[in-house]
Amino acid sequence: MASMFSWVAIRGRTPQDVLDELGLADTGVSHSAGSSRLAGEALSEGWYIVVDYDVDPAGYVSKTPMLQQLSQGAEVVACYESSYGPDSAATGWWNGSQVWMVAHYCDSGTEPDHLEYEGELPLVFNEILSDAQTEYAASGEEGCLAGVAVDLAAEVTGFREDGIWDLTELNQV
């Protein structure tokens, strides 16, 4: 089944501060597949995650003013994933500035499996990229590099959308 979603993780601000900044309220109702467009959860390691299941490409990753504001005095990671391309992107912010970015878009660039990256990438990036390139070389299938951005965001925050979580539904205020 094809899917598209985006999430943003914030560490260094309280969950209520994040919700207030985004104009959201936690309903306290457990989120289940298809039950709501927005969901959130506080994770260990101090991250608070907001997931949007109804996004335009590239979701939170493309919302520069919002990421600048959320990252004031905090660390922010935003991630977008679409199985339609497959396309994916992730970006890291700190104190109002973008620190790193990784993006995979199937239909751009001169190569069919096009990956762009820049900035001061987390150390684990090289290992993730090497593993993906090895898989790509072995299979020759397009899309092998699509998981690099998502894998990087997951390694940094500990969150992967397909994991088992206690997300609760969020509503816009």
Side-chain angles (χ1 to χ4, degrees), residues 85-86 104-115 136 140 142-143 145:
H104 174 273
Y105 299 105
C106 269
D107 296 332
S108 68
T110 57
E111 298 181 26
D113 211 359
H114 185 68
L115 185 72
Y136 183 62
E142 290 183 24
L145 300 181

Side-chain angles (χ1 to χ4, degrees), residues 5 18 26 40 52 82 84-85 87 94 117 135 140-141 150 154 157-158:
F5 60 91
V18 171
D26 190 326
D52 188 339
S82 170
Y84 292 103
D87 294 337
W94 170 252
Y117 49 93
E135 180 183 339
E141 293 182 27
V150 175
T157 64

Side-chain angles (χ1 to χ4, degrees), residues 109-163:
T110 57
E111 298 181 26
D113 211 359
H114 185 68
L115 185 72
E116 297 176 12
Y117 49 93
E118 63 185 34
E120 192 175 320
L121 292 150
L123 295 177
V124 71
F125 173 75
N126 289 329
E127 180 182 339
I128 292 169
L129 178 60
S130 177
D131 289 349
Q133 288 171 327
T134 299
E135 180 183 339
Y136 183 62
S139 71
E141 293 182 27
E142 290 183 24
C144 288
L145 300 181
V148 171
V150 175
D151 290 346
L152 181 61
E155 283 292 323
V156 172
T157 64
F159 179 79
R160 183 179 293 279
E161 194 278 336
D162 59 2

Side-chain angles (χ1 to χ4, degrees), residues 21-137:
E21 186 75 40
L22 295 174
L24 299 172
D26 190 326
T27 66
V29 175
S30 291
H31 172 79
S32 59
S35 68
S36 66
R37 175 186 159 207
L38 299 167
E41 180 181 4
L43 303 178
S44 61
E45 306 295 324
W47 292 100
Y48 184 73
I49 306 291
V50 175
V51 183
D52 188 339
Y53 291 97
D54 184 24
V55 297
D56 295 323
Y60 289 115
V61 172
S62 65
K63 298 181 188 275
T64 300
M66 182 196 73
L67 296 174
Q68 286 175 321
Q69 184 63 32
L70 282 174
S71 68
Q72 293 299 323
E75 183 178 5
V76 171
V77 173
C79 185
Y80 164 79
E81 184 175 7
S82 170
S83 62
Y84 292 103
D87 294 337
S88 63
T91 184
W93 288 71
W94 170 252
N95 215 16
S97 297
Q98 185 178 40
V99 179
W100 56 267
M101 181 279 305
V102 177
H104 174 273
Y105 299 105
C106 269
D107 296 332
S108 68
T110 57
E111 298 181 26
D113 211 359
H114 185 68
L115 185 72
E116 297 176 12
Y117 49 93
E118 63 185 34
E120 192 175 320
L121 292 150
L123 295 177
V124 71
F125 173 75
N126 289 329
E127 180 182 339
I128 292 169
L129 178 60
S130 177
D131 289 349
Q133 288 171 327
T134 299
E135 180 183 339
Y136 183 62

